[in-house]
Amino acid sequence: MQLTLPQSEIWVDDSRFQSVVAGRRFGKTHFAVAKIMSKAIEKANRNTWYVAPTYGAAKEIAWDMLLQELPEEYIRKQNETALTIKLINNSVISLKGAEKPQNLRGRALDYVVMDEFADMRPEAWYEVIRPSLSDRLGGAMFIGTPKGRNHFYDLWAKGMDGARDWSSFQYTTLQGGNVPEEEVIAARDDLDERTFQQEYCAEFVTYSGIIYYGFSREHSVTEYPDNEGTLHIGMDFNLDPMSAVICIRKGEKLYAVDEIVMYGSNTDEMCAEIKDRYPNRGIIVYPDPACRQRRTSAGGRTDLSILQNAGFTVKCKNTHALVRDRINSMNSRLLSANGDRNLHVSPKCKATIRSLERHTYKEGTSIPNKDDGYDHLNDAFGYLVEYLFPIKTEYAIAQPIRWT
């Protein structure tokens, strides 16, 4: 099978797990079939799967293509009802649907392609397919068009973050080489910008109502090499979880270099964890202002007193800033009106990155959603940022009216 240049770039990559994000008509299924055939042919007794969102889609999309491309002399037996092909080397190629993930449990796998993974339920991979690859150290490819920042985005981000055994690729429809430029231009005229960016540019379009719109994985996630100096720590006291974002300040710039998320914990345990990770360091904690009243022990100690008794310098305001002011402070540091980025996050702060990317307002409101669990680290981060870099609003002082 002849491959395009982008397809060839993926082909020669030897990572165990590959995530391929591509625009419409990139040739995703053509490439997936070629990959499955190659894995089944190159070694005997292999079990390889092509998985589509539904059984019907698997048959409609890939079955005829597979039979057309696979040389007849390689085939020992085929079963169109079961969508399986057994090769002369005893390897088996199977087409599967992921509409009922539990039905995929069974035999050990050597290789699997999950086509349009964004349209599948995530447990198809995490609970079923991934364990089936373990005893044979099998590999997998996830390929498809993005559908927002869902579970497909999570796997693509693993490769972008340099996770071991993972690689990630991203190609537009035009880069795929199968659709002429004038057709892509025509499609842009017919579609809204969001749909075009997703379907033709293979962009993980952000959620509507995203709170921290200034955050960009490409520009905001950077490694900070110098981990010396005073630590500035934002802290939120929710028991499930206790959350802290640990930063280093360099002038106007703030770098998040670590995070702590502790479930079923308390302020004493958080203090112990910080001191264990960072002994003999200058530490300033910027907690939720409620720490002045909140008591976490039978002895009546406040969170503020616990932090102070642990030897930390504590800075917090007497009252909470407005939620919108805290959010505005974060966004202005993430990306100012002048295009400056003064707030950066280390790749190791995975939960913080996820929270910044996904925290949204409740639909139709300006109230942050607290049901998805993304608020805790963002609140912790916000207490720190708003204290150091508050949004200052200037109000004109009204002149008294003079009656004559």
Side-chain angles (χ1 to χ4, degrees):
M1 297 179 72
Q2 186 174 356
L3 301 178
T4 64
L5 179 59
Q7 291 171 341
S8 299
E9 291 174 347
I10 305 167
W11 191 276
V12 299
D13 176 76
D14 60 359
S15 300
R16 182 182 177 189
F17 304 115
Q18 299 172 310
S19 295
V20 182
V21 180
R24 290 289 186 91
R25 312 310 304 164
F26 173 82
K28 297 185 289 293
T29 303
H30 176 91
F31 183 74
V33 167
K35 196 72 173 179
I36 288 291
M37 287 170 43
S38 171
K39 292 293 183 180
I41 291 170
E42 69 182 7
K43 194 172 182 179
N45 301 307
R46 280 188 166 174
N47 190 23
T48 63
W49 284 8
Y50 167 89
V51 182
T54 66
Y55 178 86
K59 181 176 182 179
E60 182 179 351
I61 294 171
W63 180 251
D64 288 342
M65 185 183 297
L66 185 60
L67 292 178
Q68 291 171 5
E69 299 294 345
L70 195 60
E72 289 187 12
E73 60 268 25
Y74 284 28
I75 301 174
R76 173 173 295 173
K77 183 172 60 175
Q78 66 186 59
N79 186 329
E80 186 169 355
T81 302
L83 297 183
T84 60
I85 298 176
K86 189 169 186 177
L87 305 183
I88 57 175
N89 66 353
N90 288 323
S91 289
V92 177
I93 301 173
S94 302
L95 306 188
K96 302 286 184 178
E99 62 266 61
K100 295 181 179 179
Q102 296 307 316
N103 291 348
L104 299 176
R105 291 183 180 274
R107 294 181 57 189
L109 295 174
D110 294 282
Y111 194 77
V112 60
V113 171
M114 305 190 77
D115 194 1
E116 297 299 349
F117 180 61
D119 293 325
M120 300 180 195
R121 290 156 61 181
E123 56 264 35
W125 165 247
Y126 290 103
E127 298 179 14
V128 183
I129 301 295
R130 180 61 180 89
S132 298
L133 296 168
S134 293
D135 55 345
R136 298 190 182 184
L137 300 179
M141 175 183 290
F142 308 86
I143 190 165
T145 304
K147 296 291 186 297
R149 292 180 177 174
N150 62 2
H151 49 281
F152 187 22
Y153 177 80
D154 291 339
L155 297 188
W156 179 80
K158 287 172 72 72
M160 297 301 293
D161 291 342
R164 189 181 66 174
D165 294 332
W166 287 84
S167 61
S168 296
F169 301 87
Q170 188 172 26
Y171 298 101
T172 66
T173 295
L174 199 57
Q175 289 173 318
N178 296 316
V179 178
E181 184 176 2
E182 55 268 25
E183 173 59 21
V184 175
I185 294 173
R188 183 163 198 162
D189 292 338
D190 294 336
L191 301 173
D192 64 89
E193 186 65 17
R194 181 186 179 89
T195 301
F196 179 80
Q197 290 295 327
Q198 177 174 279
E199 301 296 328
Y200 284 83
C201 299
E203 293 288 343
F204 289 98
V205 180
T206 57
Y207 300 119
S208 59
I210 198 77
I211 294 177
Y212 298 102
Y213 53 83
F215 179 82
S216 161
R217 182 179 287 265
E218 180 181 1
H219 299 104
S220 302
V221 179
T222 57
E223 193 65 75
Y224 184 64
D226 180 12
N227 197 9
E228 302 295 328
T230 299
L231 297 177
H232 300 263
I233 302 179
M235 190 178 296
D236 181 59
F237 295 105
N238 193 300
L239 294 180
D240 280 311
M242 288 280 295
S243 304
V245 179
I246 301 168
C247 301
I248 292 177
R249 180 181 182 180
K250 292 296 180 182
E252 289 295 302
K253 292 187 179 293
L254 197 64
Y255 297 85
V257 296
D258 200 0
E259 63 188 12
I260 302 175
V261 180
M262 301 174 66
Y263 287 85
S265 188
N266 56 52
T267 308
D268 289 297
E269 292 179 354
M270 174 62 80
C271 291
E273 177 64 22
I274 293 172
K275 294 171 76 171
D276 183 61
R277 290 193 191 190
Y278 298 99
N280 305 315
R281 292 287 293 271
I283 293 175
I284 304 175
V285 179
Y286 304 80
D288 179 350
C291 70
R292 295 180 180 276
Q293 294 83 34
R294 186 173 179 274
R295 301 180 185 275
T296 58
S297 66
R301 297 177 299 152
T302 64
D303 287 315
L304 176 59
S305 66
I306 293 172
L307 293 170
Q308 291 172 331
N309 291 336
F312 302 145
T313 299
V314 182
K315 295 184 178 182
C316 68
K317 296 183 175 181
N318 293 326
T319 59
H320 285 90
L322 294 174
V323 173
R324 65 173 179 268
D325 286 345
R326 194 169 72 233
I327 291 172
N328 288 340
S329 293
M330 287 279 289
N331 274 322
S332 68
R333 307 310 296 177
L334 287 165
L335 181 63
S336 73
N338 296 325
D340 298 325
R341 294 186 181 274
N342 293 310
L343 190 60
H344 301 274
V345 183
S346 166
K348 70 181 290 187
C349 300
K350 299 185 183 303
T352 302
I353 293 171
R354 186 181 178 90
S355 296
L356 288 169
E357 284 183 325
R358 301 195 173 194
H359 198 188
T360 60
Y361 293 106
K362 291 183 177 181
E363 187 173 355
T365 76
S366 59
I367 301 172
N369 185 359
K370 290 186 174 292
D371 297 330
D372 53 18
Y374 298 129
D375 56 309
H376 305 303
L377 279 165
N378 287 337
D379 286 349
F381 211 166
Y383 297 136
L384 162 60
V385 172
E386 198 279 330
Y387 189 99
L388 291 177
F389 307 103
I391 295 293
K392 297 179 180 178
T393 305
E394 300 293 338
Y395 296 96
I397 300 176
Q399 297 297 317
I401 298 176
R402 296 183 181 275
W403 297 94
T404 59

